[in-house]
C-alpha cells in the first residue's frame, strides 16, 4: 500500500496548481544551488560557486568536450528564517560541482563532480550532527544526484543530464547501471519516497519558436520512479516560475505531504535567491 507522500504524488496532473505559500529570502549568496533536504527545522542545500566557466571545445580534448572550469562546492545549512548555520566545503581540484542530495536517517549523501560530462565524481556522506564530511567512494563519471534506497541501503545515482542510472552499495561497489528510458526532463534532484520509490525533479530547456530572441523555455517536471526497474511510473510537468523567471524545479527541490496535498520547497534562483514554499491540494473524494 502506498504511503501518503506517494499517494499524494500520484494525484498530480498537468493542471495541478502550485500556490506560493511562503518566500524566505536567503541572506547569504546561495550561488547556483543544486540539491536540498529538510531535516527537522534545518535545510541542507548543496551549491556550486563558479569562478571560471568551463569552455566548450570544437573537438574533444583528452576525452572531454570542455575545460574543467574552476569553482567551490558548498553544503549550506540554514534555518526556517534563512539564517545560515554552516557552510561545509566539498570537493577537490577539478571536482567541485555538487549535485542532488538525500538523507538516509543518519547521513546526508552528496555527490560532487567535475563540471563536465563523462568525468569524475566523489560521493560524500555527511553527518548532520557533527557536520563532518567523509569521502565514501569515487566514480568514473559525472554523478549529478544520489538517493539512498531505504530498503537495502544501496545508493542510486544519475549521470550528466540523468541519461544513465547507477546503483552502488555503501562502499561504492557498482551493482548495476541502466539507461534512463525517460526523456521528459533531466533530473536534477531526488529523494527516497519509501516503498522502493524515489521522486525526482528536473528541467528541460526547450527552444523558443524560430526567429525569437528569448532564451530557451524552461519546462519543469516531477517523476515517481520505481527503484527495482529504474523506470518512471508517473510524470507531470510543472509550469510555476520563480521571481527571477526560472521554473521552480530548475534544481533543488524537496517534497513532503501537507494534509490533503503536497508541499514543495525550492531554491531555483542563483546568488540572491530565496527558499520558495509551494503547496498543491486536491479536493477530498476526487
Amino acid at each position: 500500500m502506498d504511503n501518503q507522500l506517494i499517494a499524494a504524488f500520484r494525484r498530480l496532473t498537468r493542471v495541478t496548481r502550485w500556490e506560493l505559500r511562503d518566500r524566505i529570502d536567503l541572506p547569504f549568496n546561495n550561488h547556483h544551488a543544486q540539491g536540498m533536504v529538510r531535516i527537522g527545522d534545518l535545510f541542507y542545500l548543496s551549491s556550486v560557486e563558479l569562478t571560471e566557466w568551463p569552455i566548450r571545445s570544437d573537438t574533444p580534448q583528452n576525452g572531454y568536450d570542455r575545460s574543467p572550469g574552476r569553482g567551490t562546492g558548498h553544503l549550506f545549512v540554514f534555518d526556517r528564517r534563512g539564517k545560515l548555520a554552516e557552510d561545509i566545503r566539498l570537493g577537490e581540484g577539478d571536482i567541485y560541482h555538487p549535485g542532488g542530495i538525500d538523507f538516509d536517517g543518519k547521513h546526508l549523501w552528496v555527490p560532487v563532480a567535475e563540471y563536465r560530462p563523462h568525468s569524475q565524481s566523489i560521493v560524500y556522506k555527511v553527518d548532520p550532527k557533527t557536520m563532518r564530511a567523509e569521502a565514501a567512494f569515487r566514480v568514473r563519471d559525472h554523478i549529478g544526484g544520489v538517493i539512498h534506497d531505504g530498503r537495502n541501503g544501496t545508493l542510486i545515482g544519475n549521470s550528466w543530464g540523468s541519461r544513465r542510472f547507477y546503483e552502488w552499495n555503501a562502499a561504492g561497489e557498482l551493482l548495476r547501471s541502466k539507461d534512463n528510458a525517460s526523456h521528459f526532463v533531466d533530473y536534477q534532484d531526488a529523494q527516497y519516497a519509501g516503498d522502493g520509490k524515489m521522486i525526482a525533479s528536473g528541467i528541460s530547456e526547450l527552444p523558443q519558436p524560430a526567429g525569437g530572441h528569448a532564451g530557451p523555455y524552461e519546462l519543469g517536471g516531477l517523476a515517481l520512479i520505481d527503484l527495482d526497474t529504474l523506470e518512471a511510473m508517473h510524470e507531470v510537468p510543472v509550469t510555476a516560475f520563480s521571481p527571477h523567471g526560472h521554473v521552480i524545479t530548475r534544481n533543488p527541490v524537496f517534497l513532503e505531504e501537507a494534509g490533503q496535498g503536497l508541499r514543495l520547497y525550492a531554491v531555483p534562483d542563483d546568488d540572491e535567491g530565496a527558499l520558495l514554499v509551494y503547496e498543491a491540494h486536491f479536493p477530498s473524494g476526487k
Side-chain angles (χ1 to χ4, degrees), residues 17-278:
R17 289 187 58 194
W18 291 97
E19 298 182 0
L20 182 63
R21 296 296 191 186
D22 201 1
R23 170 180 171 170
I24 298 99
D25 290 327
L26 301 178
F28 60 91
N29 191 329
N30 60 266
H31 301 295
H32 183 37
Q34 299 295 311
M36 179 168 57
V37 299
R38 183 177 73 83
I39 306 174
D41 290 329
L42 293 176
F43 292 87
Y44 296 77
L45 180 75
S46 65
S47 181
V48 57
E49 176 185 0
L50 194 62
T51 55
E52 178 184 306
W53 278 94
I55 299 174
R56 294 287 296 264
S57 302
D58 293 333
T59 57
Q61 303 293 320
N62 299 318
Y64 297 115
D65 69 350
R66 68 198 72 190
S67 66
R70 293 182 182 179
T72 302
H74 297 265
L75 180 63
F76 296 119
V77 185
F78 61 93
D79 64 19
R80 288 179 177 270
R81 298 171 298 167
K83 182 180 179 181
L84 184 66
E86 295 284 346
D87 177 1
I88 304 167
R89 305 295 176 92
L90 299 173
E92 61 180 48
D94 293 340
I95 299 174
Y96 60 83
H97 191 298
I101 68 178
D102 198 21
F103 180 56
D104 67 6
K106 184 177 180 180
H107 291 100
L108 291 154
W109 292 91
V110 186
V112 183
E114 295 184 30
Y115 202 172
R116 50 188 178 178
H118 312 299
S119 54
Q120 313 290 325
S121 302
I122 302 172
V123 177
Y124 289 89
K125 61 179 182 180
V126 181
D127 186 332
K129 294 181 179 179
T130 65
M131 304 298 177
R132 181 175 178 269
E134 173 188 348
F137 58 92
R138 295 171 183 260
V139 181
R140 293 181 62 84
D141 198 355
H142 174 105
I143 302 303
V146 165
I147 69 102
H148 177 270
D149 188 335
R151 301 172 302 172
N152 53 28
T154 64
L155 300 164
I156 306 293
N158 56 265
S159 66
W160 180 280
S162 70
R163 292 306 91 211
R164 190 165 189 81
F165 291 116
Y166 296 98
E167 182 177 14
W168 310 274
N169 62 22
E173 178 185 359
L174 182 63
L175 304 178
R176 61 172 168 159
S177 64
K178 182 180 179 180
D179 287 342
N180 181 4
S182 174
H183 297 270
F184 177 45
V185 296
D186 293 343
Y187 306 134
Q188 304 295 312
D189 199 9
Q191 66 191 82
Y192 183 65
D195 298 337
K197 312 291 190 300
M198 75 174 178
I199 292 174
S201 56
I203 179 176
S204 285
E205 293 189 341
L206 304 177
Q208 298 280 8
H213 298 288
Y217 174 76
E218 295 182 354
L219 173 66
L222 296 166
L224 180 68
I225 298 171
D226 185 292
L227 295 182
D228 291 328
T229 63
L230 294 176
E231 294 182 357
M233 304 172 64
H234 186 66
E235 293 181 305
V236 291
V238 175
T239 56
F241 288 85
S242 74
H244 292 183
H246 292 297
V247 72
I248 61 174
T249 60
R250 178 178 178 235
N251 275 325
V253 166
F254 182 76
L255 280 166
E256 61 188 17
E257 62 268 23
Q260 296 296 316
L262 289 170
R263 182 176 298 116
L264 183 151
Y265 300 93
V267 183
D269 296 326
D270 296 344
D271 302 324
E272 298 177 0
L275 175 67
L276 305 178
V277 185
Y278 292 84

